[in-house]
């Protein structure tokens, strides 16, 4: 009886162990991918009055990753008419992006919570990715609007691809002083998705634009994966000068 009992007990232990192995191999732990973010070269400050500094410059980081497909690099922006709100929001996103505990949430927070919108080029307003992957890291320069002697531009590795445009109806440009009033950022009940308008009824003298960049990949289910976001800077677009 004792021998029979021991054999049965041994068989049950082996059976349980085998089931656990099969379960763990089939339902393994979630896989987390670390995607390298872009690298910033020039970060404009919205309070600067020096028009020569009113541009963004960064480098894409285009790598091959095992198990996922790297798609390219996106730039996200948001328009403000209140510098205090701009400082608060980009500060919050920056804090999330630079913390080891929350960096992997920074893209979702930027897009879903703070409603930043993807920047587009006048040469390709329907692009899925602003700067598609080529396998080679490249330098990107963006000047949102015309500033006296400096024209708006979107260039990659020195090659211009039109000018930056908004991702709203008609894809208007950012040279707000030079365009018709119906193309300016709209507030109120039907506010533009890219505009954090204030409740002030005073005439707006300055708009502020904040931008972030993020590298984008996709997994086998075609779900998008993001690097942590990097702050590109902020500029003032004046309606007066």
């Amino acid at each position: 009886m004792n021998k029979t009992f021991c054999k049965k007990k041994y068989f049950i232990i082996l059976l349980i162990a085998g089931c656990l192995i099969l379960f763990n191999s089939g339902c393994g732990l979630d896989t987390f991918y670390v995607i390298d973010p872009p690298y910033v070269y020039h970060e404009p400050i919205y309070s600067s009055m020096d028009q020569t500094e009113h541009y963004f410059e960064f480098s894409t980081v285009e790598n091959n990753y095992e198990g996922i497909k790297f798609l390219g690099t996106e730039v996200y922006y948001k328009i403000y008419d209140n510098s205090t709100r701009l400082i608060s929001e980009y500060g919050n996103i920056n804090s999330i992006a630079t913390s080891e505990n929350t960096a992997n949430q920074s893209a979702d927070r930027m897009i879903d919570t703070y409603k930043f919108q993807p920047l587009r080029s006048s040469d390709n307003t329907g692009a899925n990715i602003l700067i598609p992957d080529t396998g080679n890291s490249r330098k990107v320069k963006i000047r949102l609007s015309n500033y006296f002697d400096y024209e708006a531009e979107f260039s990659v590795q020195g090659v211009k691809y039109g000018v930056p445009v908004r991702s709203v109806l008609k894809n208007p440009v950012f040279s707000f002083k030079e365009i018709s009033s119906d193309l300016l950022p709209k507030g109120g009940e039907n506010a533009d998705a890219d505009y954090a308008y204030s409740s002030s009824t005073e005439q707006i003298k300055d708009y502020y634009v904040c931008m972030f960049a993020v590298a984008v990949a996709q997994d086998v289910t075609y779900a998008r994966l993001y690097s942590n976001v990097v702050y590109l800077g902020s500029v003032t677009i004046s309606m007066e000068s």
Side-chain angles (χ1 to χ4, degrees), residues 122-163:
S122 59
D123 278 7
N124 191 357
T125 57
N128 289 323
I129 297 288
L130 182 65
I131 309 156
D133 172 46
T134 62
N136 296 300
S137 300
R138 293 162 292 159
K139 187 173 287 188
V140 179
K141 184 176 181 180
I142 298 172
R143 192 183 294 274
L144 289 177
S145 64
N146 299 326
Y147 296 98
F148 297 103
D149 297 332
Y150 300 91
E151 295 183 347
E153 71 169 283
F154 167 62
S155 61
V156 180
Q157 208 64 17
V159 179
K160 293 186 177 181
Y161 294 93
V163 298

Side-chain angles (χ1 to χ4, degrees), residues 193-204:
D194 62 355
Y195 180 32
Y197 68 96
S198 69
S199 58
S200 173
T201 56
E202 297 178 3
Q203 184 176 1
I204 296 171

Side-chain angles (χ1 to χ4, degrees), residues 73-91:
T73 306
E74 283 278 54
V75 174
Y76 281 80
Y77 74 98
K78 192 171 180 178
I79 303 169
Y80 301 81
D81 57 29
N82 184 303
S83 60
T84 301
R85 183 171 176 182
L86 174 145
I87 294 169
S88 174
E89 292 196 357
Y90 89 66

Side-chain angles (χ1 to χ4, degrees), residues 217-238:
Q218 69 180 23
D219 62 17
V220 293
T221 68
Y222 299 99
R224 281 203 169 191
L225 307 172
Y226 297 96
S227 70
N228 59 308
V229 304
V230 292
Y231 177 58
L232 296 181
S234 302
V235 295
T236 298
I237 301 177
S238 177

Side-chain angles (χ1 to χ4, degrees), residues 20-174:
L20 287 173
I21 292 171
L22 289 173
F23 177 79
N24 288 329
S25 63
C27 306
L29 298 174
D30 291 337
T31 302
F32 293 95
Y33 297 97
V34 177
I35 303 169
D36 295 322
Y39 178 82
V40 179
Y41 282 102
H42 182 265
E43 177 187 308
I45 303 172
Y46 78 94
S47 57
S48 173
M49 301 302 292
D50 185 356
Q51 60 179 290
T52 64
E53 296 294 310
H54 292 183
Y55 70 92
F56 307 80
E57 193 169 43
F58 66 94
S59 175
T60 63
V61 179
E62 303 179 21
N63 294 325
N64 291 321
Y65 298 93
E66 185 176 352
I68 59 174
K69 179 181 179 181
F70 183 71
L71 299 179
T73 306
E74 283 278 54
V75 174
Y76 281 80
Y77 74 98
K78 192 171 180 178
I79 303 169
Y80 301 81
D81 57 29
N82 184 303
S83 60
T84 301
R85 183 171 176 182
L86 174 145
I87 294 169
S88 174
E89 292 196 357
Y90 89 66
N92 289 341
I93 297 172
N94 238 359
S95 295
I96 296 167
T98 55
S99 169
E100 291 185 3
N101 297 325
T102 58
N104 63 334
Q105 305 169 23
S106 60
D108 290 335
R109 294 288 291 276
M110 176 187 69
I111 298 168
D112 298 332
T113 303
Y114 291 99
K115 307 300 182 184
F116 273 65
Q117 302 297 313
L119 187 73
R120 290 292 169 251
S121 161
S122 59
D123 278 7
N124 191 357
T125 57
N128 289 323
I129 297 288
L130 182 65
I131 309 156
D133 172 46
T134 62
N136 296 300
S137 300
R138 293 162 292 159
K139 187 173 287 188
V140 179
K141 184 176 181 180
I142 298 172
R143 192 183 294 274
L144 289 177
S145 64
N146 299 326
Y147 296 98
F148 297 103
D149 297 332
Y150 300 91
E151 295 183 347
E153 71 169 283
F154 167 62
S155 61
V156 180
Q157 208 64 17
V159 179
K160 293 186 177 181
Y161 294 93
V163 298
V165 296
R166 298 166 60 195
S167 58
V168 296
L169 186 65
K170 298 182 180 180
N171 295 107
V173 296
F174 288 86

